Amino acid sequence: MSGKRIVIVDYEMGNKRSIINALAYLGYRATVSKDAQTIQNADALILPGVGAFKDAMENIRRLLLQAPLEDAVLKKKTPLFGICLGMQILAQEGFEGGKTKGLGFINATVEPLGSLHVGFNAIEILQKEPLYTTIEEDTHFYFDHSYHMVAPIENISARTLYHDKLVCASIQKENIFATQFHPEKSQRAGLKLLRNFLNYMENYNG
Amino acid sequence: MVKQRVIAVIVVKNSLAVQSIGFKRYLPIGRAEIAAEFLNEWGVDEIVLVDIDAMREKRLIDLDLVQKVAQKIFTPLCVGGGIRTKEDIKKVLEAGADKVAVNQMLFDRDFLQEATHYFGKQCIVASVDITKKEGEYRIYDYLSRSATHDPFTFIDTLDVGEILVNVVEKDGMKSGYEIPLYQALTKRTNIPVIALGGAKNPYDMQALLDSVPNISAVAAANFFHYFEHSVAITKAILKKEKNRPVRHDGLLRYDDFDFDEDGRLVKKADEELEKMLFEYHEKEVI
């Protein structure tokens, strides 16, 4: 097992067990924590999440996680991987449950899709490095969301087509990576993508 | 476009995975976690795990079992059986489920609203059993064995992530899916509908997907336990001739095989088999 400290940020939302299982399969032991010190000392951070934007941000504020996250991600430039709601809260603001301020790490907003996008969908890769190097065009990942991130094109690493809308599937900005889909629920393709993030973390020199 | 899912349902009774026939007879299959492991390997899009005794016995589905199943798969997991409170949902999600299936509690709209609000709509799947009574569809309550509600007005006011519709008369009958019902349901609601009940072979699933283009997923319980590589073979058949919107990737593929009218594999010609004798396949390491 690698000695790197991967911390799954616990803001009391989301299924952490599946992520732990996926990381364990790939040879990594992750800790689940809401402790500021642990977050700041991590070699990589994972932001899970299922539920509503408003509740997520309320929890983050209540648990005083915003400051240690900003410290680690924006100042220390620790690699970050957000999943589903964990990607959405990186935005400036979201509209689920009323207009709420997000973490603001990405200059984006989170808006309603109009229906539930559930199932496997194919992605169009816009930026191959580093997450999609071993992944072919049109690979399917598992989506389950009814809100989507509207982000600047230079931050979008992959898109997917839902009805006639091109929806953001994943974003990246320096050390920040996030997917709208669930890599821990996307069988081999998801494991390959997580492997690419872990390799990025291993080779990362801050 | 988002693909239609092929979902395997594992029905658990007395801690064992079972085949269910007409909601009355049950035949043992084996351990649920083993079934889940194989289904995941064979490329299933989602697994639904339900304990059909839990509610009657006034308990929650065994969380140990949920954990064991979740550990084996990198695929979405929906779990149902005895869910009565928010605490129950929390425990099931923490054990490894991604969503919960709610059946009895669907009649408690306050509970539903609280649950969808707290956990997010995508976490809540309405599991609806439907029976045909005097030519009319009715919602079937398996605990009281009564069938009174009209399913269409029932779902009009249902605010959940997805609806799993199981037809009692089709359970284990191998007579094909209740297509007219699903056509009517998908016209009535925007909520993703999952069809369950009646699969004899993959051609039944073909018929469903072709006749109900807006169905979100095709599900089967007994069927996927009938034979090895069931999911992979099913997907190969679904993609044959017609490029149906079903995910078909993975290492286990039956793309260049032929099937008979029952969906069974046709043996390849001897010369072809000779050539395959010493093919080297490198193991994929992620």
Side-chain angles (χ1 to χ4, degrees):
Chain A
M1 281 238 171
S2 165
K4 295 283 184 184
R5 287 159 301 194
I6 303 183
V7 174
I8 300 173
V9 180
D10 182 7
Y11 60 98
E12 297 171 5
M13 286 174 93
N15 186 343
K16 296 136 206 139
R17 200 175 286 267
S18 309
I19 301 171
I20 293 172
N21 286 345
L23 292 171
Y25 180 89
L26 296 167
Y28 287 85
R29 191 181 299 125
T31 30
V32 178
S33 174
K34 48 175 84 126
D35 172 61
Q37 195 78 5
T38 312
I39 289 171
Q40 277 155 334
N41 291 335
D43 292 311
L45 291 166
I46 309 226
L47 211 52
V50 174
F53 193 103
K54 182 159 181 272
D55 297 327
M57 288 312 299
E58 266 169 22
N59 287 7
I60 296 226
R61 282 190 248 284
R62 174 174 51 86
L63 297 165
L64 306 171
L65 289 172
Q66 183 136 8
L69 281 172
E70 281 172 359
D71 210 58
V73 179
L74 302 178
K75 296 205 190 93
K76 267 189 83 194
K77 302 282 187 190
T78 306
L80 172 75
F81 195 100
I83 300 173
C84 197
L85 182 62
M87 163 167 127
Q88 293 179 354
I89 56 175
L90 299 176
Q92 301 277 21
E93 78 187 348
F95 293 92
E96 188 173 14
K99 199 161 122 175
T100 317
K101 267 185 85 174
L103 289 169
F105 293 177
I106 304 278
N107 187 15
T109 54
V110 175
E111 298 174 20
L113 255 185
S115 55
L116 182 69
H117 178 204
V118 58
F120 281 84
N121 204 343
I123 49 131
E124 178 203 350
I125 301 169
L126 299 181
Q127 292 181 58
K128 207 83 165 118
E129 304 266 347
L131 293 188
Y132 296 99
T133 46
T134 52
I135 293 169
E136 285 168 23
E137 198 67 42
D138 269 344
T139 296
H140 287 72
F141 291 90
Y142 179 73
F143 291 82
D144 194 0
H145 63 120
S146 47
Y147 281 76
H148 70 119
M149 188 185 250
V150 179
I153 189 77
E154 63 263 21
N155 292 138
I156 300 179
S157 51
R159 294 189 295 208
T160 189
L161 186 65
Y162 179 58
H163 292 306
D164 41 11
K165 223 194 230 140
L166 272 175
V167 171
C168 176
S170 64
I171 51 137
Q172 66 189 49
K173 183 183 173 188
E174 295 167 49
N175 55 309
I176 301 171
F177 304 89
T179 58
Q180 179 62 73
F181 53 80
H182 289 267
E184 77 285 11
K185 305 267 124 190
S186 299
Q187 297 186 332
R188 277 167 51 248
L191 292 170
K192 280 189 193 169
L193 188 135
L194 285 172
R195 172 62 79 199
N196 293 338
F197 172 73
L198 293 166
N199 288 343
Y200 170 86
M201 171 197 67
E202 289 286 359
N203 299 326
Y204 191 66
N205 284 311
Chain B
M1 235 336 255
V2 66
K3 301 298 176 293
Q4 289 163 313
R5 291 163 288 164
V6 172
I7 299 181
V9 179
I10 302 176
V11 178
V12 170
K13 190 175 176 49
N14 293 333
S15 320
L16 264 188
V18 298
Q19 280 187 60
S20 170
I21 298 154
F23 277 47
K24 276 205 208 83
R25 282 201 307 137
Y26 303 98
L27 301 169
I29 292 172
R31 282 194 284 153
E33 63 268 28
I34 307 283
E37 193 178 349
F38 281 114
L39 292 164
N40 177 61
E41 289 262 332
W42 300 341
V44 80
D45 295 320
E46 190 158 326
I47 290 179
V48 175
L49 178 74
V50 276
D51 179 335
I52 54 174
D53 286 332
M55 197 51 111
R56 185 181 292 118
E57 292 169 9
K58 297 198 168 58
R59 56 168 177 83
L60 188 60
I61 182 172
D62 181 8
L63 295 171
D64 235 4
L65 175 64
V66 177
Q67 228 192 74
K68 279 203 195 99
V69 167
Q71 246 168 358
K72 302 269 187 193
I73 61 178
F74 296 111
T75 254
L77 177 65
C78 175
V79 173
I83 291 176
R84 274 162 297 158
T85 63
K86 259 162 66 180
E87 253 318 294
D88 289 339
I89 300 180
K90 198 154 188 258
K91 287 187 192 153
V92 168
L93 294 176
E94 273 167 9
D98 299 294
K99 345 177 167 173
V100 296
V102 176
N103 181 299
Q104 285 299 303
M105 294 303 287
L106 289 178
F107 296 98
D108 184 344
R109 291 304 163 93
D110 288 329
F111 168 77
L112 269 191
Q113 207 188 38
E114 258 201 81
T116 51
H117 205 84
Y118 189 82
F119 298 103
K121 254 208 301 223
Q122 66 264 60
C123 267
I124 313 292
V125 175
S127 176
V128 180
D129 301 318
I130 300 218
T131 185
K132 217 171 178 180
K133 223 174 151 192
E134 286 145 18
E136 300 266 316
Y137 293 119
R138 291 268 172 268
I139 297 199
Y140 180 67
D141 177 352
Y142 73 92
L143 275 188
S144 62
R145 297 206 181 224
S146 64
T148 42
H149 290 77
D150 167 63
F152 301 101
T153 47
F154 188 81
I155 66 165
D156 277 343
T157 51
L158 206 51
D159 192 24
V160 292
E162 307 171 59
I163 309 176
L164 169 64
V165 180
N166 193 359
V167 179
V168 180
E169 288 78 20
K170 289 289 183 177
D171 189 42
M173 289 296 127
K174 306 189 205 179
S175 53
Y177 287 89
E178 187 68 22
I179 287 173
L181 172 64
Y182 299 116
Q183 282 173 329
L185 283 171
T186 51
K187 277 205 189 79
R188 189 80 171 215
T189 181
N190 280 327
I191 303 175
V193 176
I194 304 165
L196 173 64
K200 180 173 83 223
N201 57 41
Y203 301 111
D204 287 330
M205 297 182 179
Q206 263 187 3
L208 174 80
L209 293 182
D210 290 343
S211 315
V212 194
N214 290 329
I215 199 80
S216 176
V218 54
N222 305 347
F223 174 74
F224 287 123
H225 301 292
Y226 288 159
F227 56 106
E228 278 252 278
H229 299 176
S230 53
V231 177
I233 289 175
T234 296
K235 285 193 172 188
I237 291 178
L238 289 176
K239 296 295 266 188
K240 244 181 178 11
E241 295 127 35
K242 226 177 161 192
N243 191 20
R244 294 183 178 84
V246 169
R247 176 181 71 113
H248 191 215
D249 51 30
L251 294 171
L252 185 59
R253 301 280 287 272
Y254 281 90
D255 295 42
D256 51 354
F257 281 76
D258 286 317
F259 303 93
D260 66 14
E261 63 274 3
D262 291 313
R264 296 228 178 89
L265 270 173
V266 170
K267 178 174 171 279
K268 283 189 177 225
D270 285 334
E271 311 86 64
E272 263 200 85
L273 290 173
E274 284 272 334
K275 271 194 272 162
M276 289 166 74
L277 259 180
F278 298 107
E279 253 179 36
Y280 176 66
H281 289 271
E282 182 148 347
K283 183 173 186 215
E284 189 194 46
V285 176
I286 300 177

